[in-house]
């Protein structure tokens, strides 16, 4: 028999069940065993080649980022796409254009959804700043709680103990605890489970590849489900934090949540199979394939953005009407794709007529488009760029 199939046929226990009571119902709550998986250990043959392919995909993505003059352009869009997509997995309806409009100070109809996405951006920045600061917090329960506090600040879930581990039993799916799809560990078990997970993150003795450890930790976090709300988004933020921690990418250029959203049912099914069937290997395969796809998508996006910006810059440089203000404005567009004249005036630190003239040059060249059709309170868009990022 194929040794890989033999390992997969052999069931592995990944946790135990404890009785827990919530809303007057007794349920069986699943308590995962500490990482790494044992009895049997992970099948090296299952993930070795795929892990190498994922590492190569990340290396290509890192290399292609040099195609643009500023990596900040790429980070601006990549981080926002991740924020948007991870929020959409949880049902948020905001679009990338909504996010750009909010940053431009334009009026929005779905402000609540956009606020959820911007909260994720704030949580992401907090984690990244802490990890990059020599005196900052490492990946830890405390850091995740701080990020959770920002994530739920003033939005849906604001009444569900932001920044605090849950003190009551939760459940996933179903109309009540008794018919839930999954019941996470009882609240009294959560602190120790997270301590064990944190110990695994910082255990230098394990010889598992970093990307495999990221996959294990994300699944473990989602199984523990330590908060009353926001577990999915914090769990996916933890993926980005671990990529930073183990320096798998020099910058967060990949938006894995796009792959997870596209394969959302499979994402949940593979996580569930860890608990019900002990099948860590199928989850690892799914996760590493996702990294390969997401890295390739990000690489393709960078090449398209670089080509668009280079072509538009060439047109601008060849225009006899272009001047210093229009040049400066153009270089701001990848991080300011929707804007008003007033915002341009502020960013260029110039007069209103000079800002208006700079925008007019780009509009006449077809680089930016006026969006309102009005004489007053006009707003503009680097529309080809916005559409490219929204694909």
């Amino acid at each position: 028999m194929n040794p890989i199939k033999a390992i997969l046929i052999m069931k592995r226990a990944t946790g135990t069940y404890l009785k827990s009571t919530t809303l007057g119902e007794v349920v069986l709550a699943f308590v995962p065993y500490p990482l790494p998986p044992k009895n049997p250990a992970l099948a090296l043959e299952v993930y070795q080649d795929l892990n190498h392919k994922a590492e190569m995909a990340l290396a290509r993505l890192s290399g292609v980022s040099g195609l643009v003059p500023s990596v900040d352009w790429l980070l601006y869009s990549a981080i926002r796409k991740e924020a948007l997509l991870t929020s959409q997995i949880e049902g948020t309806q905001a679009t990338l254009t909504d996010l750009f409009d909010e940053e431009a100070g334009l009026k929005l109809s779905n402000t609540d959804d956009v606020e959820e996405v911007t909260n994720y951006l704030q949580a992401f920045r907090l984690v990244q700043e802490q990890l990059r600061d020599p005196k900052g917090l490492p990946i830890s329960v405390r850091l995740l709680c701080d990020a959770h506090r920002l994530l739920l600040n003033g939005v849906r879930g604001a009444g569900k103990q932001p920044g605090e581990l849950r003190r009551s039993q939760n459940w996933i799916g179903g109309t009540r605890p008794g018919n839930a799809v999954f019941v996470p560990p009882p609240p009294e078990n959560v602190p120790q489970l997270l301590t064990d997970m944190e110990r695994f993150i910082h255990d230098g003795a394990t010889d598992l590849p970093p990307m495999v450890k990221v996959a294990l930790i994300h699944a473990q976090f989602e199984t523990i489900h330590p908060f009353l709300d926001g577990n999915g988004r914090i769990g996916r933020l933890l993926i980005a934090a671990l990529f930073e921690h183990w320096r798998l990418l020099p910058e967060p250029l990949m938006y894995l949540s796009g792959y997870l959203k596209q394969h959302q049912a499979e994402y949940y099914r593979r996580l569930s199979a860890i608990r019900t069937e002990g099948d860590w290997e199928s989850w690892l395969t799914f996760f590493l394939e996702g990294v390969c796809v997401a890295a390739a998508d990000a690489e393709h996006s960078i090449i398209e953005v670089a080509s668009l910006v280079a072509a538009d810059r060439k047109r601008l440089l060849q225009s006899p009407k272009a001047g210093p203000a229009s040049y400066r404005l153009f270089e701001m567009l990848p991080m300011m794709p929707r804007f008003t004249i007033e915002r341009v005036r502020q960013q260029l630190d110039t007069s209103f007529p000079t800002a208006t003239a700079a925008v007019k040059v780009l509009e006449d060249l077809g680089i930016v488009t006026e969006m309102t059709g009005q004489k007053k309170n006009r707003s503009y868009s680097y529309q080809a760029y916005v559409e490219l990022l929204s694909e």
Side-chain angles (χ1 to χ4, degrees):
M1 179 183 284
N2 183 314
I4 297 176
K5 287 185 178 178
I7 290 168
L8 294 181
I9 288 170
M10 188 171 157
K11 270 208 167 189
R12 173 197 289 121
T14 55
T16 187
Y17 288 91
L18 294 178
K19 286 184 178 180
S20 181
T21 303
T22 182
L23 297 184
E25 290 189 276
V26 177
V27 292
L28 289 176
F30 183 80
V31 181
Y33 292 144
L35 298 173
K38 299 182 180 71
N39 302 321
L42 288 174
L44 176 69
E45 302 91 338
V46 172
Y47 63 77
Q48 197 168 34
D49 288 346
L50 198 49
N51 181 73
H52 178 68
K53 288 178 183 177
E55 287 176 344
M56 291 300 99
L58 292 180
R60 285 193 300 272
L61 173 57
S62 180
V64 83
S65 65
L67 288 174
V68 300
S70 171
V71 74
D72 289 340
W73 291 3
L74 306 178
L75 293 173
Y76 175 85
S77 58
I79 293 169
R80 279 156 183 77
K81 287 179 84 166
E82 174 64 22
L84 185 76
L85 292 163
T86 192
S87 301
Q88 286 179 349
I89 290 174
E90 306 303 327
T92 301
Q93 300 299 311
T95 66
L96 201 57
T97 302
D98 291 332
L99 201 54
F100 292 153
D101 283 350
E102 191 272 339
E103 292 177 348
L106 302 175
K107 287 184 178 180
L108 298 170
S109 56
N110 55 344
T111 53
D112 291 345
D113 281 2
V114 173
E115 194 172 354
E116 288 190 17
V117 180
T118 56
N119 276 10
Y120 178 90
L121 284 171
Q122 290 177 17
F124 181 93
R125 289 191 198 102
L126 168 78
V127 170
Q128 187 181 57
E129 287 167 2
Q130 289 296 316
L131 295 181
R132 294 188 174 190
D133 183 349
K135 297 181 180 178
L137 290 172
I139 295 181
S140 56
V141 176
R142 181 179 164 192
L143 182 58
L144 294 178
C145 285
D146 287 349
H148 185 257
R149 187 175 295 107
L150 288 179
L151 183 73
L152 296 190
N153 181 36
V155 296
R156 284 183 304 174
K160 294 187 176 179
Q161 301 169 14
E164 298 179 32
L165 301 180
R166 58 183 169 87
R167 297 187 291 272
S168 58
Q169 181 65 62
N170 54 356
W171 71 92
I172 300 169
T175 56
R176 56 185 177 78
N179 63 14
V181 173
F182 172 64
V183 181
E188 58 269 22
N189 293 75
V190 168
Q192 184 60 51
L193 289 167
L194 290 176
T195 297
D196 292 341
M197 188 186 79
E198 189 177 323
R199 187 179 296 119
F200 176 73
I201 292 171
H202 300 289
D203 180 7
T206 177
D207 57 357
L208 293 171
M211 219 175 312
V212 169
K213 290 195 285 186
V214 175
L216 298 178
I217 292 160
H218 174 70
Q220 189 80 340
F221 179 88
E222 295 304 334
T223 296
I224 298 169
H225 237 62
F227 301 113
L228 287 182
D229 194 16
N231 291 286
R233 284 166 290 170
I234 292 295
R236 290 184 290 274
L237 176 53
L238 180 56
I239 294 174
L242 291 165
F243 268 62
E244 176 87 25
H245 174 70
W246 280 308
R247 294 177 171 80
L248 290 165
L249 264 178
E251 298 288 354
L253 297 169
M254 184 183 70
Y255 27 95
L256 186 60
S257 287
Y259 177 84
L260 299 178
K261 179 174 183 284
Q262 188 177 0
H263 303 279
Q264 191 168 343
E266 185 72 358
Y267 171 37
Y268 293 148
R269 191 179 74 76
R270 296 289 179 100
L271 287 175
S272 178
I274 296 169
R275 305 152 191 157
T276 58
E277 301 168 32
D279 190 359
W280 277 105
E281 283 76 11
S282 291
W283 161 249
L284 282 174
T285 299
F286 174 79
F287 183 88
L288 294 171
E289 285 173 347
V291 172
C292 292
V293 171
D297 286 348
E299 181 185 348
H300 178 70
S301 178
I302 288 171
I303 292 169
E304 288 196 318
V305 166
S307 299
L308 172 68
V309 173
D312 287 343
R313 183 187 289 108
K314 184 178 179 181
R315 281 197 292 151
L316 179 62
L317 291 172
Q318 291 174 343
S319 170
K321 294 183 179 179
S326 55
Y327 295 146
R328 287 174 58 210
L329 172 58
F330 178 79
E331 298 302 330
M332 291 176 180
L333 291 184
M335 294 176 66
M336 193 177 72
R338 309 273 283 197
F339 58 89
T340 60
I341 301 282
E342 174 57 22
R343 192 175 183 207
V344 171
R345 185 195 69 74
Q346 292 173 7
Q347 292 296 315
L348 293 180
D349 192 20
T350 188
S351 66
F352 199 84
T354 299
T356 303
V359 173
K360 183 74 163 57
V361 170
L362 299 186
E363 185 180 14
D364 289 347
L365 289 170
I367 295 173
V368 303
T369 306
E370 204 286 313
M371 303 302 291
T372 67
Q374 302 171 2
K375 290 286 182 76
K376 292 183 177 182
N377 301 319
R378 306 177 93 194
S379 63
Y380 297 80
S381 177
Y382 188 9
Q383 195 59 19
Y385 174 81
V386 171
E387 290 172 3
L388 197 60
L389 294 182
S390 299
E391 287 179 359

